[in-house]
Amino acid sequence: MSATNPYAPNPSDFISNVPRFEVIDSTLREGEQFANAFFTLENKIKIAKALDDFGVDYIELTSPVASDQAREEVEAICKLGLKSKILTHIRCHMHDARVAVETGVDGVNVFIGTSNFLRQHSHGKDMSYITKAAIEVIEFVKSKGLEVRFSTEDSFRSDIVDLLNIYTTVDKIGVNRIGIADTVGGANPRQVYELIRTIKSSVSCEIETHFHNDTGCAIANAYTALEAGAKYIDTCVLGIGERNGIVPIGGFMARMVVSAPEYVKSKYKLNKIRDLENLVAEIVQVNIPFNNPITGFCAFTHKAGIHAKAILANPSTYEILNPTDFGLTRYIHFANRLTGWNAIKARVEQLNLNLTDDQIKVVTNQIKQMGDVRPLGIEDVDSIIKAFHAKEKDNTSNANENENEQPGAKRQRVD
Amino acid sequence: MSATNPYAPNPSDFISNVPRFEVIDSTLREGEQFANAFFTLENKIKIAKALDDFGVDYIELTSPVASDQAREEVEAICKLGLKSKILTHIRCHMHDARVAVETGVDGVNVFIGTSNFLRQHSHGKDMSYITKAAIEVIEFVKSKGLEVRFSTEDSFRSDIVDLLNIYTTVDKIGVNRIGIADTVGGANPRQVYELIRTIKSSVSCEIETHFHNDTGCAIANAYTALEAGAKYIDTCVLGIGERNGIVPIGGFMARMVVSAPEYVKSKYKLNKIRDLENLVAEIVQVNIPFNNPITGFCAFTHKAGIHAKAILANPSTYEILNPTDFGLTRYIHFANRLTGWNAIKARVEQLNLNLTDDQIKVVTNQIKQMGDVRPLGIEDVDSIIKAFHAKEKDNTSNANENENEQPGAKRQRVD
């Protein structure tokens, strides 16, 4: 937002929704399709409350038609009185719609496949059937006073003419949102930008997007979709979903807080991301990935000497995210052979010892030599520093006794 | 590449290097800056050989100036006679350059920070100093007959005029590659496209890129950089590096094989990705992330009934990656309450049992009801199917005895 933030929205994008996006979290729908997910009602309620507390705008739930229990769960979550609006995700069938509108949801997310692949191998319907079914279902849901979204599955492998036809049709009858889905996770950012911008220029309703992560582009595609005028992003906690999942809410927040810091920090409780991820990770029995944005164990760990030096002078040099925004702290990894004397100096100060810069350079060299031989723990480094400090103190006393001796002469390995 | 692949390079990008990119793997340099990394020489050699076998174009090593051991390691790896070219990564200092050229490397990757942040808080030098140092180091490395790359750190927070000045200067004196680095991991794809395209139009040398993953966009940024005319992408196995790392080679290959399948499959041994990742994961003591592209445990697992049905008819419906390209197999997760009768039918056939579609719909319903109550194992589902099959067989025998009875009348819960 500020003129000095090179990662702020591109000023030439007048259609950009980067600083006013909304989140539709689908942990309780897409996430339920994750291989390891089995959510009891109790756990679904825990997750829904945590999402609501974090501040997601919408919570999407598994279709009430999926099973008897699924229906009871939708009804139970609607009765919690959360601030987040509740949606359920149904096939484009009147039967599903009739069940959905009776559950107490705020809105219904309708989907159908429009790619040749899905038309041939999934439902076997043609575009005129799809259009007719869409109109019937949308008008029915609207007649009940609920929000309705109409989404195509596998949009990026669908014919652009088919897409524009169906989206402009449902737009005219007053759909609230249309959904564009990269169901197989193959889209790339500029392709996303072009498709969304084209569709945006043809409809007046809002655009929701759903990006799978098979090729590692889900977060970037979501960001680029906002630049092109989409407003709603589907996320899951840790990205859990079919195959390797969709846009993870934590990584997405990392992306957005860099580009629209005021908006994101005022709207979402970023310091709850860690708890939210831990809750879901425990329920679906996975570990937080070591390289997870924000909460990966080393996301704020700096190791190389040149990095540590600059971070100690000003954290922004090597940090685009501020760990305190997420209730976390940074860590300077000084116990290794890539360490530098600035990192060791910081450690010496933490240990409340007095050494000159020259002395610190000598002890840093000793630490690096030891680090060449084996992995170092913090206690190893502390021992080396303390031993060096004790010896230097002795040397200084001896030197004071014999003023002709120059202690500095022993320190030639400084680099 | 083929006209029917919507994920192929954009035909309007005449500068795109998507179908002719090269990989500079930095697991043994950037990866050594990962919090958990301590590489012995023996392990460095194992990793270098595995990277070479996979087919990376370049292997980048930690500066020989980092420690005595680091220098010996560079020399040892250069002596292995790998097909991959060997680079080492040094500060823009004549001292470092003099050491580097004596190690036996094929090329030297020189870097210096050009952002205000790094100029103030890291090395404290101005642009005219940087330019002078760059020219001296590049001319020296070239005089030794080695490849040389000159890279700015934190390029996206550097002044565009400074960048163009320094890049055109080093281009004129014959640098082989210039490097553009998102050192803090804050760049987004369209920003990458614009910066790289601008620089590409000002220089004749090739462009290398280095993307950190703090905001989850590293793979997408790398892909977009290729679209804008960059040719070389820095990767690490599992993306390990400072903080949460850089472009992971596995996820990057997932991205590239979708867009340039012939090129990628003919050049890189994709079926070695799993072994390469397992090797490095074991050495740095991390788990493969559950949601890792390609090798995450569920990357090719399909769960929802509607997905399973279509995958059974044609895997491309819900798969943009083919697991067999990576020496892996897909898995239809049928033991859960979101299952559908097509998935159960496939299981019935695997069990070599005979049931009609109507019968399979009944038993599917029983499985879904059980799945509402508790998590199901494969053996649970198999027991339900086998019990049902045995009972139906009895019913059929009974029905044959009493032809007035209609076994179908008992099956009303089909949906």
Side-chain angles (χ1 to χ4, degrees), chain B residues 58-289:
Chain B
Y58 291 84
I59 293 172
E60 186 182 67
L61 305 176
T62 295
S63 169
V65 176
S67 72
D68 296 341
Q69 181 69 19
R71 181 176 179 159
E72 288 165 31
E73 288 166 357
V74 175
E75 290 168 349
I77 290 169
C78 288
K79 287 191 188 115
L80 294 176
L82 303 178
K83 291 183 297 294
S84 310
K85 290 189 192 173
I86 308 297
L87 304 172
T88 189
H89 182 258
I90 63 165
R91 294 171 299 186
C92 191
H93 285 177
M94 279 304 290
H95 170 67
D96 294 18
R98 284 193 196 97
V99 176
V101 299
E102 298 300 326
T103 56
V105 293
D106 299 293
V108 177
N109 268 0
V110 177
F111 73 97
I112 192 164
T114 45
S115 72
N116 278 333
F117 287 101
L118 291 174
R119 281 158 56 191
Q120 262 187 314
H121 302 290
S122 178
H123 52 68
K125 314 296 189 195
D126 65 15
M127 284 308 295
S128 72
Y129 175 91
I130 291 171
T131 307
K132 199 165 152 283
I135 294 172
E136 189 181 7
V137 169
I138 291 164
E139 293 193 327
F140 172 73
V141 175
K142 276 178 59 78
S143 76
K144 299 292 177 179
L146 302 185
E147 278 190 27
V148 59
R149 179 215 68 186
F150 174 80
S151 178
T152 64
E153 274 191 291
D154 204 4
S155 317
F156 291 86
R157 294 193 299 181
S158 298
D159 187 277
I160 181 71
V161 178
D162 287 346
L163 289 183
L164 287 172
N165 270 332
I166 187 112
Y167 287 137
T168 54
T169 302
V170 298
D171 182 45
K172 273 186 207 125
I173 62 167
V175 80
N176 297 86
R177 301 184 300 281
I178 54 171
I180 297 170
D182 180 23
T183 306
V184 296
N188 66 63
R190 290 174 65 241
Q191 185 182 24
V192 167
Y193 188 82
E194 287 182 26
L195 182 64
I196 305 250
R197 198 185 47 180
T198 302
I199 292 168
K200 177 78 177 173
S201 65
S202 307
V203 298
S204 58
C205 62
E206 296 292 354
I207 297 177
E208 173 181 338
T209 63
H210 184 85
F211 291 107
H212 275 266
N213 206 22
D214 299 74
T215 60
C217 294
I219 294 171
N221 285 341
Y223 182 80
T224 312
L226 294 174
E227 291 188 310
K231 182 165 178 185
Y232 297 90
I233 303 294
D234 290 3
T235 66
C236 287
V237 179
L238 294 168
I240 59 170
E242 284 281 353
R243 306 187 307 282
N244 77 333
I246 68 163
V247 178
I249 195 166
F252 179 63
M253 287 293 152
R255 171 70 261 163
M256 298 316 296
V257 77
V258 166
S259 297
E262 294 84 357
Y263 177 77
V264 171
K265 287 192 221 172
S266 66
K267 191 165 174 203
Y268 301 102
K269 289 190 194 158
L270 298 183
N271 62 355
K272 301 281 185 178
I273 289 176
R274 180 168 53 173
D275 292 345
L276 189 57
E277 289 186 347
N278 285 342
L279 172 68
V280 172
E282 194 176 315
I283 290 172
V284 303
Q285 297 179 295
V286 297
N287 294 312
I288 305 291

Side-chain angles (χ1 to χ4, degrees), chain A residues 32 67 190 242 304 337 372, chain B residues 13 32 67 242 304 337 372:
Chain A
E32 195 163 24
S67 72
R190 289 175 65 240
E242 283 282 354
R337 70 183 188 186
D372 264 348
Chain B
D13 289 345
E32 196 162 24
S67 72
E242 284 281 353
R337 72 183 189 186
D372 264 349

Side-chain angles (χ1 to χ4, degrees), chain A residues 22-25 52 56-61 77-78 82-88 105-107 147 176-177 232:
Chain A
E22 297 199 6
V23 169
I24 297 179
D25 188 87
D52 182 57
V56 302
D57 303 275
Y58 290 83
I59 294 172
E60 185 182 68
L61 305 177
I77 290 169
C78 289
L82 303 178
K83 291 185 296 297
S84 310
K85 289 190 193 172
I86 307 297
L87 305 172
T88 189
V105 292
D106 299 294
E147 278 188 28
N176 297 86
R177 299 184 302 281
Y232 298 89

Side-chain angles (χ1 to χ4, degrees), chain A residues 20 35 83 94 133 147 193 196 212 220 231 306 350 353 407:
Chain A
R20 58 190 147 265
K83 291 185 296 297
M94 278 304 289
E147 278 188 28
Y193 188 82
I196 305 250
H212 276 264
K231 182 165 177 186
I306 195 171
Q350 282 174 340
L353 300 177

Side-chain angles (χ1 to χ4, degrees), chain A residues 383-404:
Chain A
S383 306
I384 297 171
I385 293 173
K386 285 173 186 166
F388 180 87
H389 181 260
K391 204 172 141 227
E392 288 295 306
K393 247 179 97 179
D394 284 356
N395 285 351
T396 315
S397 321
N398 294 343
N400 287 345
E401 285 165 23
N402 176 359
E403 298 207 354
N404 291 330

